[in-house]
Amino acid sequence: MKRPKCDRQRLLKETIEKTPFITDEELAKQFSVSIQTIRLDRMELSIPELRQRIKSVATNQWNETVKALPLEEVIGEVVDLELDNRAISILDIGAEHVFSRNKIARGHHLFAQANSLAVAVINDELALTAKSELKFTRQVKEGERVVAKAVVEGKEKGLTIVHVNSIVENETVFTGIFHMYQPNEQKGEQ
């Protein structure tokens, strides 16, 4: 049963407020309408497209800036950051990330997203990956969205340990443990 337009738009607004990273395609499925209808509803409600919502949430949620590398060098789009604690980035897998014959993402893109997020979460001018332990748990295909979540777990033998889990639609596709070296911190310990 189709909802009246005013009800659908009210629910659409509530849904986007709760889950700002939801795509127009997912909304169209959820409300059993076309993608174009969702886009028109968003325009009428002055709700920006997904990319703009991601940037807005990122700007509003954290005041801290990445210190160890320029933000534009982080692979994927950083949407949450608390230095020395946690960070989240989103990477939409496009044609440039996949093998042409089977449309499966090249592993180095998933690694680069996770590794650059592990660097970005460190509260230091320089952070280098000393060691990493990786596990790819399933293939990622063109068109999928990878959400990487980094959590600083603590320190071990002078290195900061960062765990990164990459997820596609609630399914883990990659895990990494990154041992991060911070030269400035080492100087302070001497």
Side-chain angles (χ1 to χ4, degrees):
M1 179 171 95
K2 279 197 168 185
R3 292 183 173 95
K5 181 178 179 179
C6 61
D7 288 347
R8 183 184 67 241
Q9 287 185 343
R10 179 182 50 77
L11 290 170
L12 175 71
K13 188 173 182 177
E14 289 173 9
T15 301
I16 291 174
E17 284 173 0
K18 288 179 188 170
T19 54
F21 307 136
I22 192 167
T23 65
D24 287 348
E25 291 80 5
E26 292 167 327
L27 288 165
K29 278 184 190 174
Q30 183 174 333
F31 291 102
S32 301
V33 295
S34 70
I35 295 169
Q36 187 60 31
T37 298
I38 293 296
R39 289 179 181 150
L40 290 170
D41 284 347
R42 277 194 306 94
M43 285 174 50
E44 283 183 35
L45 296 168
S46 299
I47 297 171
E49 66 178 9
L50 177 63
R51 283 244 179 255
Q52 200 57 41
R53 291 195 310 267
I54 289 171
K55 287 180 182 175
S56 175
V57 168
T59 303
N60 293 336
Q61 280 195 349
W62 40 275
N63 299 323
E64 302 179 78
T65 58
V66 176
K67 292 185 178 181
L69 75 166
L71 190 57
E72 60 272 7
E73 289 183 17
V74 177
I75 306 302
E77 194 154 354
V78 177
V79 296
D80 191 19
L81 173 68
E82 187 179 328
L83 292 175
D84 281 341
N85 189 13
R86 63 181 166 72
I88 300 173
S89 73
I90 295 174
L91 178 64
D92 290 317
I93 302 299
E96 68 276 15
H97 303 114
V98 300
F99 294 106
S100 59
R101 66 179 183 157
N102 57 19
K103 307 300 182 201
I104 293 172
R106 293 179 176 97
H108 66 270
H109 293 294
L110 299 177
F111 171 79
Q113 179 189 20
N115 188 64
S116 65
L117 195 60
V119 171
V121 76
I122 301 295
N123 187 13
D124 202 332
E125 294 297 319
L126 180 63
L128 303 169
T129 305
K131 176 176 129 179
S132 62
E133 301 164 34
L134 313 173
K135 183 176 182 183
F136 293 88
T137 55
R138 91 146 166 89
Q139 299 169 345
V140 176
K141 297 180 179 138
E142 183 176 358
E144 291 187 313
R145 168 168 289 152
V146 181
V147 179
K149 298 179 181 183
V151 176
V152 175
E153 296 290 332
K155 299 199 181 300
E156 182 180 288
K157 297 179 184 174
L159 300 174
T160 301
I161 310 303
V162 181
H163 285 233
V164 179
N165 288 314
S166 297
I167 300 161
V168 172
E169 294 180 7
N170 297 321
E171 184 180 359
T172 300
V173 296
F174 171 92
T175 59
I177 301 171
F178 295 86
H179 301 254
M180 307 304 294
Y181 171 71
Q182 297 166 252
N184 292 333
E185 185 170 288
Q186 302 299 317
K187 289 177 189 171
E189 290 178 0
Q190 294 175 354

